[in-house]
Amino acid sequence: MSEALTNISAHSAVTSAPLLSARGLCFDAGGQRLIDGIDLDIAPGRCTVIMGANGSGKSLLLRLLHGLIEPTDGAVSWCGQPLDRAARREQAMVFQRPVMLRRSVAANLRFALSVRGVRGAKRKAQEEETIARARMDALKDKPARVLSGGEQQRLAMARAMIGAPRMLFLDEPTASLDPASILAIEQLIQEARDNGTTIVLVTHDPGQARRLGDDLFFLHGGRIAETGPIMQVLEKPTSKAAQAWLSGRLFVPNTP
Amino acid sequence: MESFSAILIEAIGLILSWDPDVIEIIMLSLRVTLTAVAAACLIGLPLGAIVGAFRFPMRTGVIVAMNTLMGLPPVVVGLLVYLMLSASGPMGVLGLLYTPTAMIIAQTILVTPIVAALTRQVIEDLNGEYAEQFASLGVGPLDRVLALLWDARYSLLTVALAGFGRAVAEVGAVIIVGGNINHVTRVMTTTIALETSKGNLELALALGLILLVIAVIVNGLLMAIRGTAARAAYV
């Protein structure tokens, strides 16, 4: 087996107690092991980027870390404790395809506030503040599902940031968006970082990884093929999988 | 026997004359049907939403039962309600047999499985779309059911309409528990059956036309509402 498939215990970037940890994380489906024994720590305040080819398990890993699906083996812990529903309330996730409720922009935000127990005048104030922060004042009464892709993703970001989550999972939030929309999303991500939110970002865009990331996990075949500070991995990848992917070549394991 | 056109003209004349007996029959039909549909929605919408939104043991069995009950034969429901409400039945003391309330009970029993089963399908589809987002937001069970019902509101209007269609056209159950008593429990469908057997085709056809017009109006309203909703991408 290539060195690229050797599982690497990834703790290099962590300098303080991890906010979120995974140990021996595995996930099987359809008789296949899709996530294969991943260990990782994510330190507070960092922006951790997960990259890898399609099918390498990036989105699946994100869902496992957020507790949306149960691992076949291994565990995720939050501040040293098992990840439970209360812990998940301190996290938020933005999906690649934003899920818009069949309501107006403002009502989508109101729902997220209500779920977090914010009611009355406080809810109204937070709703208006969030709309302003997402620069969506002119769109607040529009049905969310008729917004453009970029606007929907901005709304999804704004909704996720309600309640100031300690950790924000972003699954390719700028996939298929135009440069202006990408810039708007990246500004929101940067704002979240500035407010102390820890970011875990899945992206295929090395430029975006450079702009936003601190640490990088490169996934291949459900394993961490390489990890380290983002510039180090992007500029001097050591694994064959990362080298091949970053140079635009398709990496097929076991190829001579 | 008169020609169809002659009967049709007489029927239309009967409608346009606003005959008090005809109006009374129409109003009772609408009262019974709308009350039964409202009751069926009160029971069937949350029931269907719960089955559609959650996984629990025996869920498949519950779905099979709900789908099977959609095809309940009206006369069987009428007979069961009759046995319950008759003087010797467990609810005979209430004295509801041959009253509009008995007809509402029978129609509610007929329509509730339709509303519940169709709601389950609508909510299950929507829940498939929302499930991960709801889990990420930490939405609790009650909030989830309420949000799914609200966001599926326009599709659920069609569900209610299916229930209305079943109830307003129903004759077997209401004739058994209502008795088709003049000025008490006589509704459009039972009157049509009675008057046809008596050869009074003008009144039967007039009521039949009114039933059709009601169906057209309700469907037209629903299409207009759904059209507005579709433009806002709410369906």
Side-chain angles (χ1 to χ4, degrees), chain B residues 88-192:
Chain B
S88 56
M91 294 168 74
V93 68
L94 298 174
L96 293 176
L97 198 61
Y98 303 131
T99 67
T101 305
M103 295 155 76
I104 291 168
I105 291 169
Q107 287 203 347
T108 302
I109 293 170
L110 274 171
V111 175
T112 298
I114 294 172
V115 173
L118 297 179
T119 299
R120 195 272 307 167
Q121 188 61 60
V122 168
I123 295 297
E124 193 170 305
D125 292 346
L126 189 60
N127 188 53
E129 183 186 330
Y130 284 3
E132 279 198 326
Q133 183 65 65
F134 280 0
S136 179
L137 287 170
V139 179
L142 180 62
D143 281 337
R144 190 204 289 203
V145 167
L146 294 176
L148 286 168
L149 282 171
W150 177 252
D151 276 25
R153 58 199 179 278
Y154 293 107
S155 299
L156 295 177
L157 272 178
T158 312
V159 170
L161 179 72
F164 178 84
R166 166 84 173 204
V168 80
E170 202 284 315
V171 61
V174 292
I175 210 163
I176 293 174
V177 301
N180 199 17
I181 302 166
N182 202 12
H183 302 298
V184 181
T185 57
R186 188 160 292 177
V187 290
M188 283 191 280
T189 51
T190 57
T191 309
I192 291 169

Side-chain angles (χ1 to χ4, degrees), chain A residues 76-89:
Chain A
V76 177
S77 60
W78 175 254
C79 301
Q81 301 297 315
L83 182 68
D84 56 15
R85 196 172 149 198
R88 206 161 59 219
R89 286 215 163 195

Side-chain angles (χ1 to χ4, degrees), chain B residues 207-226:
Chain B
L207 289 170
L209 285 173
I210 290 165
L211 259 179
L212 279 173
V213 169
I214 289 170
V216 168
I217 290 170
V218 171
N219 270 291
L221 276 174
L222 192 83
M223 287 291 285
I225 294 168
R226 279 184 66 89

Side-chain angles (χ1 to χ4, degrees), chain A residues 63 66 68-69 85 88-89 91-93 95 99-104 111-112 114-116 119 142-146 159, chain B residues 126 129-141 143-144 146-148 150-153 230-235:
Chain A
R63 282 166 169 77
H66 189 30
L68 295 182
I69 47 177
R85 196 172 149 198
R88 206 161 59 219
R89 286 215 163 195
Q91 308 170 350
M93 182 160 172
F95 299 88
V99 180
M100 296 288 104
L101 302 186
R102 286 156 170 78
R103 309 170 187 203
S104 68
F111 177 74
S114 298
V115 164
R116 289 183 179 273
R119 312 263 173 197
K142 275 186 96 170
R145 282 159 58 92
V146 301
R159 189 175 59 189
Chain B
L126 189 60
E129 183 186 330
Y130 284 3
E132 279 198 326
Q133 183 65 65
F134 280 0
S136 179
L137 287 170
V139 179
D143 281 337
R144 190 204 289 203
L146 294 176
L148 286 168
W150 177 252
D151 276 25
R153 58 199 179 278
R231 281 190 289 282
Y234 283 160
V235 287

Side-chain angles (χ1 to χ4, degrees), chain A residues 187-215:
Chain A
Q187 282 173 346
L188 286 171
I189 296 171
Q190 198 55 53
E191 276 177 35
R193 281 206 67 183
D194 294 344
N195 291 330
T197 301
T198 304
I199 308 286
V200 183
L201 168 70
V202 168
T203 182
H204 280 296
D205 178 359
Q208 184 172 68
R210 282 191 180 90
R211 287 192 295 276
L212 298 171
D214 298 313
D215 314 306

Side-chain angles (χ1 to χ4, degrees), chain A residues 230-251:
Chain A
I230 201 131
M231 298 308 282
Q232 180 189 310
V233 178
L234 290 178
E235 286 172 11
K236 290 181 183 169
T238 55
S239 65
K240 282 184 181 174
Q243 283 169 357
W245 189 81
L246 287 164
S247 63
R249 287 178 289 120
L250 183 66
F251 176 74

